[in-house]
Amino acid sequence: MWRESFGLLEKSYVSGAPASFLLGKDLHIPLCPVPLCSAVVDVAIQDYVADVASELIYQNKSRTSSEVIFVFPLAPHMTIYSFQALNEDAKVQALLQDETQQLHKATKGQENWEYLQHQSEHSGEVFACFLGSLSPGKEMVVTLRYVQELPRKLGGAAQFLLPATLHPHRKYYTWNCHNNKPYYSLLLTASLQSPRGVVNAEANCALTPLIYTAQDHSAAQVSLAETPPRDDFELLVYYGDPTEVSAVVEKGDPGAPVGSLLGDPLVLVTLSPSIPDAMPGQCQSGEFIFLLDTTFLERAQESLLFLLKSLPLGCYFNIYCYGATSVGIYPQSVEYTQDNLTKAMQRIPSTSSCLGDADLLGTLRTIYNTPQPHGHARQLFIFMTGLPPDKEAIAAEVCHHRNSHRCFSFCFSEDSAALAMTLARETRGEATYVKSDKELAVVVLNCLKRALKPAAEGVSLSWTLPLGLEAEVLGGTPRSIFQGEHIHLYAKIRGEAQDMKVATGVLTLQFSLNGQNVAHTIPFPLCPQGDGRLAGHRLAARCLLGMLLADVVSGSGDEPRQRAVEISLTSGIICPFTSYVGVRTSQWVTWYQGPLALLPPHQSLVACQILQLRGSICSSSCFPKSIFIPPGWLTAVQESWFAIQRLTHDIAALAQNGAHSKAPKPPPPSIYSLEYVDPKFVLSSQIFWPWVSKAIDECQELVALQNVDGSWTLSSSLASALQVDEAEIKGKMPGEVTEPSIWATVLAVTWLQKKNRYYQDLCELLEAKAVTWLCSRAASQLDKCLEAANTLLESSVELVAGKAAENLTDTSMVRSCSILLPE
C-alpha cells in the first residue's frame, strides 16, 4: 500500500465559487501542500519503543490567505498523544474529552472531510485538524507528539523510520537542484537507552558519533550530521548481547496515583524467538479453519478448490459455512488426509443450501469452543461478502481470543473493510479487499504461503521476582509466534520490594519448536529506566483500552467504560469512548481612549478527529479502476515517475539559471508524494490480469485430481485433464518407473509448468508438494520420466539438478519451467 505524506494542506478556492464550495462541502476542493520550512525532531528510543516529539514550521508563500488543515497518517503501531498548532493570531490544541459531553458534535457542521476522502489515495487512519486561516507570508508552528512500537531487525537492532510528514523527501520540489539539499531544514536528535547497553547506531546518512551519557553505556545520544537522505530516513540501534527475549523496566509518572497504570513501573517485553525453516519433506503443523458465507460459496468454488488442495500434509483443517445457523463440515478440525478432504468437498454444496442470513458471530463462538489440536497454531481464513449487523460484537469476540489464533480476513465490499482490518490487526494477521472473483484464488494462495511459515507453539512467560512483587502481562501472551514475528508485551509490576534500585528479576520464555521444548532465560534490573516521557506506558494504555472495549461490548457493565475513559484522558491515547475536539484560543487587540490593550483570550471549537480513509491503490487518472496494482510493481513505476519529474525540473532549472543567473526560483508545483507502508495491517490487493481467469479454467480439472500428498493417480480422468489418450500415456511410460503414480505426477507437473509459467502463483504450492513427493519416491527415475513427458506433451521442461534441498519447501521456487532435484 501507499501512503501520502500529507502535513499542512491549504484549500485552493476559486474566485466566485458558491457558498457550499467555500464551506468545504464540494468534493473537488483542490488541496495543495503548504511548504515546510523546518522540522525539529527529538526521538527517545528505549529498547523497542519510541517517543517522538516534533516541531514543524510551515509558511504560506502565496499572495492570499488560505484555510489550512493538518493531516498526519497513522501507522498501525503508532498513536498520537499531543498536538497543537500556533500562529500569530491563535493557538489550536487537540484535547480528548468524554464522548458523553458531546462537545465534538458542535464541530460537525464546520468541516466536511469528504473532500479529503475524495482526493486522498491513502488507505488507513489519519489524524486531521482544521487550523483556520493563514495569512500571506505568515508561519504556522505545529507541535506533534506520538509513540510507536519499533520492529526488531537482524542482529537485534531496533528500526526507527521517520514519517514522510516530518521528512517529505519524495516531493521533488522540496530539493534544491544546485546543491542537492532540501529547501527545508531537518534537525534530528535521538536519545537511546537500554540496560543491555547501546553498542552502535547506523543510518542511511551521516550521523554524529555516539555520545554516551551513562558510564555503563546504557544511554547515549546521536544526531543527524548533515543533509538528510533523499529517501526514507532509517535509524538502526544495536544493543549489547541480543537475545530472543528482552525486558526493560520503565518508571512511572511520579504525579500519577500509586496503583494506576501511569503511576506504577512497567516492564516492556519483546519476544523474537529464532525459528528455522521447515526441513525438506517435513510434515507441517497448523490448524486452518475456513469461514465461508453462502454468497462466497456461490461465486468462488474454484478458489476454494485451489486453497484446500494447497494445504500441507500434517496439518489440521475444517470448513464452516455460516448463515442462519453455524454449520461445520466436521464437529472439530480433522487431520488433512485424502478421505477427510474428499468428504469435505462433497459436503460443502449440501451444507450451504440450507443457510440464510449471515451469523459470523455464532460461527466464531462455535470455533472458540472447540479444542485446538495440540502443537498446531490456529489460523482463521474469514470470507465476508457483506457487513454483518453485529460487527462490534464480532470484533470484541475476536479480541477476547486474540492470543489463541491469527485471522486472515477477505472482504468483498467497502462497508466490511473496516471490520476485516480490525480482525487482522487484533490477531497479527492480514486483511485483503477483493473485487474480482477470479483474482480471489491468487490473493488467498499468497496469504496461505505466509500462513505456512513455521511457528513456535505453546508460548509462555514465567517471572522470578523479589518477595513482594508480581507481574501481570496486560492482554496476555500469544500462544504462537510465527517465523519473523516480534511481539511487544507490557507487564505491570505490583507490590513493593525493599530496594528496587539493586533488585533483579528473571524472565523465562518457553515454547515448543518441532516437538522440542525450548527455554530462554534473561535477567533484568528492576531499577526503573526512562526519561519520564512514558512511551511504554502510553503504548500499554492503548493495549489495555482495546481489552476494555471488548469488555464493554460483551456487556460487562459500566465499570470497564469508566476505566477506559479515565485511562484515555490521563494518557492522551484516544479510545472509542473519547474523541478529539480542537480548542482554538485567539487573541486580538482593540483601541480604547488611546492606549493599546490586550483583551482576554477568546476560545472556540474547531473540527479535529481521527479519520478512516478508503483510498485506492492507485488514482483513477492513472489506472483503470478494474485493475489492481501490486505494491512492489507500483513502487517501481512511481519511483520512475518521480525520478523523471525531478530530472525534468532540475534540467529546466539549470537551463533557466544558465540563461538568467539571477532569475527567481520557480514556484513549487502542487503534487503529493507517496511512501510505502507495511501492508500487513492495511487493506492490500493484488493485480488481476485477464490470463489469471484462463489459468484457473485450464488447470482446475487437473488440480481437482491431485492427492493430498502431492501425487496424481494414473487414470482416465488424468488423461482427460491432460487432453492425451490414456492408452498413449500408459504406452509412453518409461520402463524404469516402478510405480504408475510417479509417471502420472511427472506428467501433471510438466503440464502445469508448460501451461502456467506466467501465472505461477496459482500452482506454486501444489507443485512444491508434488516435487517433494517425487524426490522422496523416485529421484533416480526423474531423468527418464521427464524426457518421456516432454516428448508426450511436446514441452521443453528442463531438469535442474544440484539445487539445495531447502528449495523443495521454499514457496518461491525457481520458475524457469524446471523440476527441482535435491543435491
Side-chain angles (χ1 to χ4, degrees):
M1 293 292 292
W2 291 83
R3 186 180 68 197
E4 300 174 36
S5 58
F6 290 118
L8 197 65
L9 307 176
E10 64 174 341
K11 301 179 185 178
S12 299
Y13 294 130
V14 179
S15 177
S20 63
F21 187 90
L22 298 177
L23 289 175
K25 296 180 180 179
D26 190 289
L27 299 182
H28 300 281
I29 297 177
L31 294 175
C32 301
V34 177
L36 176 66
C37 297
S38 70
V40 179
V41 183
D42 178 20
V43 186
I45 297 177
Q46 186 173 223
D47 230 34
Y48 298 100
V49 300
D51 181 290
V52 181
S54 61
E55 182 182 87
L56 310 173
I57 300 179
Y58 298 90
Q59 185 178 28
N60 182 7
K61 297 185 178 182
S62 65
R63 298 181 180 179
T64 59
S65 296
S66 301
E67 286 187 352
V68 294
I69 58 175
F70 182 81
V71 183
F72 183 71
L74 297 173
H77 298 293
M78 177 191 299
T79 183
I80 290 177
Y81 69 90
S82 177
F83 172 83
Q84 77 169 25
L86 178 69
N87 64 10
E88 65 176 10
D89 299 322
K91 177 180 72 174
V92 175
Q93 187 174 10
L95 300 178
L96 284 176
Q97 48 96 30
D98 190 337
E99 281 210 331
T100 58
Q101 298 179 13
Q102 298 187 349
L103 293 178
H104 63 287
K105 292 185 178 181
T107 65
K108 282 192 173 179
Q110 297 180 5
E111 192 70 11
N112 185 341
W113 298 110
E114 283 300 316
Y115 60 86
L116 183 61
Q117 182 77 262
H118 181 74
Q119 296 188 43
S120 171
E121 296 169 14
H122 172 70
S123 177
E125 290 185 339
V126 298
F127 170 84
C129 188
F130 178 71
L131 302 181
S133 179
L134 185 62
S135 302
K138 300 302 181 182
E139 294 181 344
M140 179 74 73
V141 181
V142 173
T143 303
L144 175 73
R145 294 175 178 264
Y146 66 89
V147 291
Q148 69 175 120
E149 297 173 342
L150 301 180
R152 173 173 166 150
K153 296 299 182 179
L154 291 177
Q159 180 196 45
F160 171 76
L161 294 175
L162 192 63
T165 307
L166 312 185
H167 176 39
H169 58 89
R170 291 186 187 271
K171 297 179 180 179
Y172 66 84
Y173 62 80
T174 60
W175 289 82
N176 190 320
C177 62
H178 302 291
N179 55 19
N180 199 32
K181 293 183 178 181
Y183 285 118
Y184 61 91
S185 62
L186 173 62
L187 176 63
L188 184 142
T189 302
S191 302
L192 318 174
Q193 194 170 40
S194 174
R196 293 174 289 140
V198 179
V199 176
N200 191 22
E202 298 177 354
N204 53 345
C205 62
L207 299 174
T208 60
L210 273 179
I211 300 176
Y212 289 102
T213 56
Q215 291 184 351
D216 60 357
H217 288 194
S218 62
Q221 285 188 344
V222 71
S223 301
L224 193 64
E226 56 181 35
T227 302
R230 204 162 181 171
D231 199 353
D232 296 330
F233 174 78
E234 178 188 36
L235 176 66
L236 295 175
V237 183
Y238 293 88
Y239 305 114
D241 189 23
T243 57
E244 300 191 9
V245 55
S246 66
V248 178
V249 180
E250 182 180 81
K251 63 183 178 181
D253 183 1
V258 177
S260 66
L261 177 63
L262 296 183
D264 291 347
L266 196 75
V267 186
L268 317 180
V269 180
T270 303
L271 308 180
S272 301
S274 177
I275 302 175
D277 292 330
M279 297 297 292
Q282 177 183 349
C283 289
Q284 292 184 264
S285 62
E287 180 190 23
F288 301 91
I289 301 178
F290 307 99
L291 291 78
L292 322 170
D293 65 10
T294 53
T295 306
F296 170 81
L297 289 172
E298 294 170 358
R299 60 197 279 189
Q301 287 279 355
E302 66 274 10
S303 298
L304 184 60
L305 170 67
F306 279 85
L307 179 60
L308 294 176
K309 289 290 185 175
S310 299
L311 292 177
L313 277 178
C315 74
Y316 281 70
F317 81 105
N318 203 356
I319 303 170
Y320 285 82
C321 303
Y322 60 91
T325 58
S326 175
V327 180
I329 298 298
Y330 294 102
Q332 62 188 51
S333 295
V334 296
E335 188 177 357
Y336 183 66
T337 65
Q338 190 64 48
D339 288 342
N340 288 335
L341 179 60
T342 302
K343 292 177 183 178
M345 297 296 291
Q346 292 172 349
R347 292 176 183 176
I348 289 175
S350 61
T351 301
S352 63
S353 61
C354 62
L355 302 182
D357 295 334
D359 183 24
L360 179 56
L361 178 60
T363 306
L364 288 169
R365 288 173 175 169
T366 300
I367 293 172
Y368 295 145
N369 288 330
T370 59
Q372 181 176 339
H374 179 70
H376 292 264
R378 173 170 285 180
Q379 300 186 82
L380 306 185
F381 283 63
I382 303 177
F383 299 86
M384 296 180 291
T385 55
L387 180 64
D390 45 5
K391 56 183 182 297
E392 293 85 1
I394 291 173
E397 189 72 19
V398 171
C399 183
H400 276 306
H401 298 272
R402 58 187 295 186
N403 291 322
S404 66
H405 69 301
R406 191 163 67 160
C407 284
F408 290 84
S409 48
F410 306 87
C411 59
F412 298 82
S413 60
E414 290 187 3
D415 56 353
S416 59
L419 178 60
M421 293 176 66
T422 299
L423 303 185
R425 183 170 56 241
E426 288 293 333
T427 60
R428 314 184 327 272
E430 297 183 24
T432 306
Y433 178 43
V434 185
K435 274 195 174 181
S436 167
D437 295 344
K438 292 299 183 181
E439 75 165 355
L440 177 61
V442 175
V443 171
V444 174
L445 289 172
N446 282 333
C447 287
L448 179 60
K449 293 172 191 175
R450 294 185 284 274
L452 289 176
K453 288 186 176 181
E457 304 288 345
V459 177
S460 65
L461 292 178
S462 58
W463 304 78
T464 303
L465 300 174
L467 186 64
L469 295 180
E470 62 178 5
E472 176 194 4
V473 178
L474 302 178
T477 304
R479 297 181 192 174
S480 304
I481 301 178
F482 290 84
Q483 185 186 59
E485 279 192 318
H486 54 275
I487 307 298
H488 296 274
L489 300 176
Y490 306 94
K492 188 175 181 180
I493 297 181
R494 294 177 176 174
E496 295 182 0
Q498 292 183 350
D499 191 354
M500 292 280 287
K501 292 184 179 180
V502 297
T504 301
V506 177
L507 177 61
T508 301
L509 167 66
Q510 295 178 302
F511 56 88
S512 174
L513 189 61
N514 298 327
Q516 302 294 320
N517 294 327
V518 182
H520 296 282
T521 299
I522 179 174
F524 62 96
L526 289 172
C527 179
Q529 308 289 320
D531 54 4
R533 290 167 69 164
L534 303 175
H537 282 74
R538 298 187 198 278
L539 290 168
R542 186 181 68 164
C543 174
L544 187 55
L545 289 170
M547 297 168 51
L548 292 172
L549 170 62
D551 292 339
V552 173
V553 175
S554 301
S556 301
D558 194 48
E559 192 275 335
R561 186 193 184 282
Q562 293 176 354
R563 189 181 177 200
V565 171
E566 178 186 356
I567 293 174
S568 178
L569 297 181
T570 54
S571 65
I573 306 301
I574 193 171
C575 79
F577 310 114
T578 58
S579 58
Y580 280 115
V581 59
V583 179
R584 187 176 189 272
T585 304
S586 61
Q587 291 183 328
W588 66 95
V589 297
T590 184
W591 289 91
Y592 68 96
Q593 298 181 357
L596 186 67
L598 187 66
L599 294 180
H602 174 71
Q603 291 188 338
S604 58
L605 302 180
V606 297
C608 180
Q609 65 185 91
I610 302 290
L611 300 173
Q612 180 73 43
L613 300 185
R614 306 182 303 272
S616 59
I617 294 289
C618 55
S619 64
S620 58
S621 61
C622 298
F623 303 97
K625 292 184 178 180
S626 60
I627 294 182
F628 290 84
I629 307 301
W633 188 85
L634 186 58
T635 302
V637 174
Q638 198 69 39
E639 285 291 347
S640 301
W641 186 84
F642 280 128
I644 293 172
Q645 293 293 322
R646 284 195 294 265
L647 181 62
T648 303
H649 176 263
D650 292 351
I651 292 175
L654 286 171
Q656 184 178 9
N657 186 62
H660 309 283
S661 58
K662 296 184 180 181
K665 288 180 286 188
S670 300
I671 177 173
Y672 289 122
S673 68
L674 301 172
E675 65 174 350
Y676 188 74
V677 176
D678 179 9
K680 178 177 277 190
F681 297 107
V682 296
L683 285 184
S684 61
S685 187
Q686 304 288 332
I687 192 165
F688 170 58
W689 299 116
W691 55 73
V692 174
S693 176
K694 180 183 178 183
I696 293 176
D697 295 337
E698 283 185 343
C699 59
Q700 182 176 350
E701 183 180 356
L702 181 61
V703 169
L705 298 174
Q706 188 182 34
N707 300 316
V708 295
D709 60 2
S711 68
W712 273 267
T713 302
L714 188 59
S715 64
S716 58
S717 298
L718 177 66
S720 174
L722 298 177
Q723 299 177 351
V724 180
D725 183 72
E726 182 180 4
E728 187 177 4
I729 290 180
K730 293 180 178 180
K732 293 295 180 69
M733 183 173 64
E736 295 85 355
V737 175
T738 59
E739 186 178 347
S741 291
I742 295 174
W743 171 236
T745 304
V746 171
L747 282 174
V749 174
T750 304
W751 188 91
L752 285 174
Q753 293 201 4
K754 172 187 176 183
K755 290 285 186 179
N756 302 315
R757 59 184 301 179
Y758 296 112
Y759 29 80
Q760 66 270 15
D761 286 342
L762 280 174
C763 300
E764 190 170 345
L765 293 174
L766 301 172
E767 292 179 20
K769 283 204 299 183
V771 171
T772 301
W773 184 86
L774 284 171
C775 291
S776 66
R777 295 291 187 94
S780 61
Q781 304 172 30
L782 292 185
D783 289 351
K784 296 294 184 180
C785 286
L786 182 59
E787 181 180 354
N790 278 328
T791 301
L792 178 62
L793 299 177
E794 298 181 350
S795 60
S796 57
V797 175
E798 297 178 0
L799 181 66
V800 179
K803 291 292 182 182
E806 55 264 25
N807 284 339
L808 298 178
T809 59
D810 186 358
T811 57
S812 57
M813 296 169 60
V814 175
R815 298 300 310 180
S816 60
C817 285
S818 59
I819 292 181
L820 303 182
L821 284 178
E823 292 180 340

